[in-house]
Every structure is written in C-alpha cells, then in structure tokens.
Amino acid sequence: QKEVEQNSGPLSVPEGAIASLNCTYSDRGSQSFFWYRQYSGKSPELIMSIYSNGDKEDGRFTAQLNKASQYVSLLIRDSQPSDSATYLCAVTPRGGSTLGRLYFGRGTQLTVWP
Amino acid sequence: EAGVVQSPRYKIIEKKQPVAFWCNPISGHNTLYWYRQNLGQGPELLIRYENEEAVDDSQLPKDRFSAERLKGVDSTLKIQPAELGDSAVYLCASSFRGNTIYFGEGSWLTVV
C-alpha cells in the first residue's frame, strides 16, 4: 500500500501571507513528486514537480523535498484569493508494474482571505 | 492545442443501469489513465493504458467495470450495472511516455 498523507485542512491565510502545505509518503522508493491544484468542480492542474532533494522555485511557488524524511511541501508566497483551492500531493513509485501511476493524497483545502 | 476531452460532463442514472464515459487524450500522448475521485478524496487510478494495452488495471472492479482503448487513441469506460457507491467524478488523463500527466475536466456521475 503506497500512502500519501496530507492534512485535509482547511488552511486559512490572509492575502499576502505565506501558505505552507505539507505531505508525507510511505514508499521510500518513490521517485517523483507533484503538486496539483484543484479548484472546486474542476480537474487537477499540475503546478509543481520535484525529483531531487532540496528546493525548487517557480514564481510564487516553492516545492521542497526531503527523501530521508519522506516529506514534501509546497510554499505559496504572497498568497492571493485566487490561490484558494484544494492542493493535491502526488507521488510515483520506484518502478515495475506501477511505473507511471500517481498516488494522490486527499488534498489540503486552502482559503486565502482578502 | 486541445486538452484531454471527456464526455458526458454530467450523468445521472438509476442504480442497476449502465453508463459509459468517453475520453479523447491529448494528441500524441500514448499513455491514458482513468481515475476515480470521490468527494473529499484524491483521485485513485482505475486503469492505465500504454497505447492500446492495459498495463495497470489492478484497481479496476472487473465485475462491473470495463474499459477499452481501441487503436490506442480514444478510450471508453463502462459501468454495468451501476451502484450507489459508484457516484464520483471519473477523470481521464494522458501523458507522453509516463511524463507529466494532464487531466480532463471529468465526468460527474450520480447514481440514484
């Protein structure tokens, strides 16, 4: 069983603050890590991917990966009301028959209030 | 470039009735996925195709669910007969050789 755990929230931050979203995974062999954003009633949209330990920045988004701790996080700087959505953490396993399969957490609901 | 296209977007059926969902992946994407997302949960993989071959269908409830991907392009997911617990969003997704996965808008199923 490959589990991906996220706090379901809701997480509420004021506009302009930093939102911090966390995710842990059980399969130590997991290779690829993704953050998807899902607006209510819409499909998941990829916003960040990370494959090696450390930080990866893209605009206001920073993904952080610590494979030793089996932990991945997403920081959103200067949060905007338009960032209000559910954020899904997803991982892919080491390989074999499950190569290419994404395992998702249940998502963290983020609300950014003006 | 067109994204992943799914139809119908919404479907309400009575239990024990059949239902089918259709998916057209992004042009050139050889990998196609069907995911199911229950309310408040993350998507769960039902089946994954590499071209026309189903390479990962361990999570597909084969007693009532079936899928096909003829000619390695479009795909159809069928449920027969539907049960109340099948109410969910059925997401089709595609990728090129297992790289970045792009989702369609989903087909929302309500079984009453």
Side-chain angles (χ1 to χ4, degrees):
Chain A
Q1 180 73 19
K2 295 174 174 58
E3 295 182 351
V4 180
E5 298 289 338
Q6 295 182 255
N7 290 327
S8 60
L11 175 65
S12 182
V13 301
E15 184 174 358
I18 296 175
S20 178
L21 305 163
N22 304 314
C23 172
T24 59
Y25 57 95
S26 62
D27 182 9
R28 185 171 291 278
S30 297
Q31 291 190 319
S32 306
F33 307 85
F34 307 88
W35 285 98
Y36 282 78
R37 177 177 62 199
Q38 187 172 27
Y39 292 113
S40 181
K42 299 295 185 181
S43 61
E45 172 193 14
L46 180 67
I47 56 172
M48 289 289 287
S49 59
I50 187 166
Y51 305 98
S52 56
N53 281 327
D55 295 357
K56 179 181 178 182
E57 185 175 320
D58 184 0
R60 295 186 296 110
F61 298 96
T62 299
Q64 299 175 318
L65 175 62
N66 184 325
K67 289 187 176 181
S69 299
Q70 296 176 233
Y71 175 91
V72 58
S73 66
L74 179 69
L75 299 178
I76 306 175
R77 292 182 300 281
D78 189 23
S79 295
Q80 301 296 310
S82 59
D83 294 326
S84 298
T86 296
Y87 289 81
L88 297 163
C89 174
V91 306
T92 56
R94 183 194 310 267
S97 63
T98 56
L99 182 65
R101 178 190 286 205
L102 272 178
Y103 290 89
F104 284 88
R106 63 186 302 169
T108 298
Q109 184 179 344
L110 172 66
T111 299
V112 181
W113 44 277
Chain B
E1 178 180 328
V4 177
V5 179
Q6 293 187 243
S7 69
R9 289 294 317 281
Y10 305 95
K11 190 75 175 179
I12 301 174
I13 62 171
E14 294 183 344
K15 62 182 180 181
K16 300 185 181 180
Q17 294 301 305
V19 64
F21 305 112
W22 174 82
C23 173
N24 178 244
I26 293 172
S27 178
H29 281 194
N30 63 316
T31 306
L32 184 145
Y33 312 76
W34 282 102
Y35 280 84
R36 177 171 60 188
Q37 186 173 23
N38 293 307
L39 188 65
Q41 302 293 320
E44 293 182 322
L45 181 71
L46 292 175
I47 190 168
R48 175 168 64 96
Y49 283 92
E50 295 290 343
N51 300 304
E52 65 276 6
E53 181 182 1
V55 297
D56 185 355
D57 64 354
S58 57
Q59 299 293 99
L60 188 71
K62 298 181 180 62
D63 56 337
R64 297 183 300 106
F65 286 65
S66 64
E68 60 181 9
R69 190 183 185 195
L70 299 177
K71 300 182 180 179
V73 181
D74 294 358
S75 178
T76 302
L77 177 69
K78 298 179 181 178
I79 308 173
Q80 182 171 12
E83 298 180 352
L84 295 177
D86 296 331
S87 296
V89 181
Y90 291 83
L91 294 163
C92 181
S94 70
S95 70
F96 179 66
R97 294 185 178 177
N99 290 321
T100 302
I101 296 175
Y102 297 91
F103 286 87
E105 289 296 312
S107 292
W108 296 67
L109 173 65
T110 300
V111 182
V112 297

